[in-house]
């Protein structure tokens, strides 16, 4: 049997209770016959049902879909980072068939884990106080579940009655479904620290993992499991607090099986010197990153302090020395230039849109925020989406792929190693990928280079830096691409196999036109493509 109710609260709380409306109170025994009207009690029930439809809009009460469409206001943003919107059906199928739910940790100031647009798998740890420095883990203050140890992986519920931020925001305990009553509350927060801190973490979580339901804001990966860690932003350089954070965050990462850590925060280590830009920093965050060098990718915001002399900001500047750190520069609305005020450095990995990014705000609201924090969250979402699709790259391989896939432009050179994030190329990391002049994508393994009828394992490249033509082993090439569609202007990304500790190298120059790339299809024939027909080549990720 079906239970119907006139009480909106019962319908909202119990999915098995349906609203009584004009369409579900009629039964065959009460149809109009021989000119007789319906019984008075049925007419009364119809009136109640009709009123509920008008007042509460029951027709909008449907389960929120994890995979739907993006909100139209995000079209430009998604196009800029080359998100494969046209392939969402394919992505959905791949995730549901063989993917997994990757864990993304966001270290920030505050989270509304109950926002209606955020994933069901969201847990928040409060590490903002180190009063009890003997505590082995921070208390869970909100969320849907947490893992009871990584060995068993058994999930247990951990709900809170309410979560109140020190500034007074009260977060409702129950997760509502966005759009049930047609709500879309857009706010523009004042750009002051007091206002941003209470919204910052929630905004980043939405950029990474909001549902694709055509309402509000869609995240880059709606399958991500978000682990929010609230920290005291004003005391990150306190040695005692930092030592405690190192222990407790490391344990959370282990228990929650974290794959990606988003660090949209930054601080200057005590007494920085010019020499520290070339040295590893040994404070808590540096040690945390070093301790997880082989299994976790840390995505760091470049910062918005407009550093011009050296590089001192932690964790952004760790991207200059650590293979498992991807430092992301904020780009403007068009993605063609560094956002005004954003830090940049020739050693930072790549850039992503960071101006006017739509995301979730506390209390089921939405809003635009700008900065490298938002850019880093977009990259974190892209990495977690690759994981959800079943990719298992190393942190170093992921960083290399992000750089090699990025779209290089003359305006961004000098501000980063790569260019603007290209999500479609990045997600296609299981194969060698070539884009020709017509925009067609070729999937086949690069096996050799032919020149003058002779086969070679090297690509001849004219290096502008040395002003001579040099042979480059194809095994070292991560990718190459034309700059602004100029066939005589090529950027080549290298990772020498002979030096596994080396960072990605970017060379600028040109490729002699008498060379052909020879590809081999999987278990199929070989084919050739002239170098001057290649717009962008990217080696598969490892």
């Amino acid at each position: 049997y079906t239970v119907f109710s006139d009480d909106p609260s019962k319908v909202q709380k119990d999915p098995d209770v349906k609203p009584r409306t004009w369409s579900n109170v009629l039964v065959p025994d009460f149809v109009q016959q021989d000119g007789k009207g319906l019984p008075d009690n049925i007419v009364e029930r119809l009136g109640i049902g009709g009123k509920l439809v008008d007042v509460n809009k029951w027709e909008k009460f449907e389960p929120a879909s994890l995979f739907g469409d993006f909100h139209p206001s995000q079209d430009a943003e998604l196009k800029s980072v080359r998100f494969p919107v046209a392939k969402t059906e394919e992505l959905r199928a791949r995730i549901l068939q063989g993917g997994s739910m990757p864990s993304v940790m966001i270290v920030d100031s505050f989270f509304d884990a109950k926002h209606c647009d955020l994933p069901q798998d969201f847990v928040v740890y409060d590490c903002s106080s180190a009063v009890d420095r003997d505590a082995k883990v921070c208390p869970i203050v909100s969320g849907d579940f947490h893992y009871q140890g990584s060995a068993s992986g058994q999930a247990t519920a951990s709900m809170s009655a309410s979560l109140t931020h020190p500034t007074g925001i009260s977060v409702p305990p129950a997760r509502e479904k966005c759009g049930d009553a047609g709500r879309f509350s857009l706010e523009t927060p004042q750009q002051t620290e007091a206002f941003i801190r209470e919204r910052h973490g929630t905004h980043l979580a939405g950029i990474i993992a909001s549902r694709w339901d055509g309402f509000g804001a869609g995240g880059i990966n709606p399958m991500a499991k978000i682990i929010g860690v609230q920290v005291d932003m004003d005391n990150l350089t306190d040695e005692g607090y930092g030592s405690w954070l190192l222990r407790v965050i490391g344990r959370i990462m282990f228990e929650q099986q974290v794959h990606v850590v988003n660090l949209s925060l930054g601080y200057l280590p005590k007494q920085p010197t010019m020499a520290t830009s070339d040295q590893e920093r040994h404070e808590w965050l540096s040690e945390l990153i070093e301790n997880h060098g082989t299994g976790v990718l840390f995505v760091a915001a470049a910062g918005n302090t407009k550093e011009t002399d050296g590089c001192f900001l932690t964790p952004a500047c760790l991207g200059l020395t650590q293979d498992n750190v991807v430092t992301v520069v904020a780009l403007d609305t068009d993605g063609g230039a560094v956002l005004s005020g954003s830090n940049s450095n020739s050693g930072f990995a790549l850039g992503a849109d960071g101006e006017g990014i739509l995301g979730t705000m506390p209390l089921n609201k939405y809003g635009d925020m700008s900065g490298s924090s938002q850019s880093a969250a977009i990259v974190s979402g892209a990495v977690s989406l690759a994981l959800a699709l079943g990719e298992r790259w190393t942190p170093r391989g992921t960083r290399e792929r992000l750089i090699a896939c990025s779209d290089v432009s003359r305006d961004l050179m000098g501000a980063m190693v790569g260019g603007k994030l290209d999500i479609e190329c990045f997600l296609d990391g299981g194969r060698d990928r070539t884009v020709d002049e017509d925009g067609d994508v070729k999937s086949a393994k690069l096996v050799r280079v032919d020149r003058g009828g002779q086969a070679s394992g090297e690509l001849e490249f004219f290096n502008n830096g040395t002003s001579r033509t040099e042979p480059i082993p194809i095994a070292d090439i991560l990718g190459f691409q034309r700059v602004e569609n100029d066939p005589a202007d090529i950027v080549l990304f290298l990772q020498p196999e002979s030096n596994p500790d080396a960072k990605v190298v970017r060379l600028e120059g040109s490729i002699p036109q008498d060379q052909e790339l020879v590809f081999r299809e999987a278990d199929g024939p070989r084919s050739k493509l002239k170098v001057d027909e290649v717009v962008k080549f990217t080696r598969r990720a490892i």
Side-chain angles (χ1 to χ4, degrees), residues 82-288:
R82 295 186 187 271
F83 188 95
V85 176
K87 297 181 180 180
T88 51
E89 288 291 340
E90 176 185 333
L91 295 176
R92 179 186 302 114
R94 288 176 58 190
I95 291 173
L96 295 179
Q97 286 178 1
S100 61
M101 185 175 65
S103 298
V104 181
M105 174 181 282
I106 306 174
V107 182
D108 217 282
S109 54
F110 177 71
F111 301 90
D112 175 3
K114 293 300 179 184
H115 193 289
C116 59
D117 219 10
L118 292 176
Q120 293 293 335
D121 300 318
F122 194 152
V123 60
V124 177
Y125 291 84
D126 186 3
C127 300
S128 60
S129 174
V131 175
D132 182 7
R133 289 180 179 168
D134 292 328
K136 295 182 179 180
V137 71
C138 306
I140 294 175
V141 294
S142 183
D144 299 286
F145 76 90
H146 71 285
Y147 280 118
Q148 190 71 19
S150 60
S152 65
Q154 183 177 358
T156 58
S158 179
M159 304 294 292
S160 67
S162 181
L163 178 60
T164 303
H165 189 264
T167 57
I169 280 189
S170 179
V171 178
R175 185 185 304 276
E176 299 179 48
K177 295 181 178 64
C178 291
D180 285 350
R183 289 187 303 275
F184 182 85
S185 181
L186 186 67
E187 68 172 32
T188 303
Q190 298 181 35
Q191 298 297 302
T192 63
E193 193 65 22
F195 279 85
I196 290 177
R197 284 196 178 185
E198 64 192 21
R199 293 164 168 81
H200 198 255
T202 306
H203 197 258
L204 302 184
I207 292 172
I208 295 172
S210 292
R211 296 185 184 96
W212 297 350
D213 57 5
F215 186 88
I220 301 297
N221 176 25
M223 281 294 288
K225 182 181 74 173
I226 301 297
I227 313 298
V229 177
Q230 296 177 175
V231 297
D232 181 358
M233 294 289 191
D234 295 325
N235 287 296
L236 294 179
T237 58
D238 179 84
E239 293 184 5
Y241 180 51
S243 297
W244 182 74
L245 285 178
L246 175 63
R247 295 195 302 272
V248 295
I249 293 180
R251 178 163 181 169
I252 294 170
M253 290 173 64
F254 175 76
E255 291 188 350
Q256 295 285 8
Q257 303 175 11
V258 170
H259 305 90
V260 183
V261 178
N262 188 92
L263 297 171
S264 290
L265 53 82
Y267 59 87
L268 291 174
K270 291 184 177 180
Q271 298 179 343
T273 65
M274 288 298 294
T276 59
S277 61
D278 298 321
Q279 297 176 353
E280 297 179 357
R281 296 105 191 272
H282 291 285
E283 32 68 54
W284 75 272
L285 189 49
S286 299
E287 191 170 346
L288 181 73

Side-chain angles (χ1 to χ4, degrees), residues 48-104:
I48 294 173
K51 183 178 180 180
L52 288 171
V53 171
D54 292 337
V55 175
N56 296 291
K57 298 184 179 179
W58 292 117
E59 70 276 11
K60 289 184 177 292
F61 274 87
E62 295 182 2
S65 171
L66 191 65
F67 297 109
D69 298 315
F70 288 91
H71 195 271
S73 64
Q74 295 181 273
D75 288 347
E77 172 192 328
L78 294 170
K79 182 178 180 181
S80 179
V81 295
R82 295 186 187 271
F83 188 95
V85 176
K87 297 181 180 180
T88 51
E89 288 291 340
E90 176 185 333
L91 295 176
R92 179 186 302 114
R94 288 176 58 190
I95 291 173
L96 295 179
Q97 286 178 1
S100 61
M101 185 175 65
S103 298
V104 181

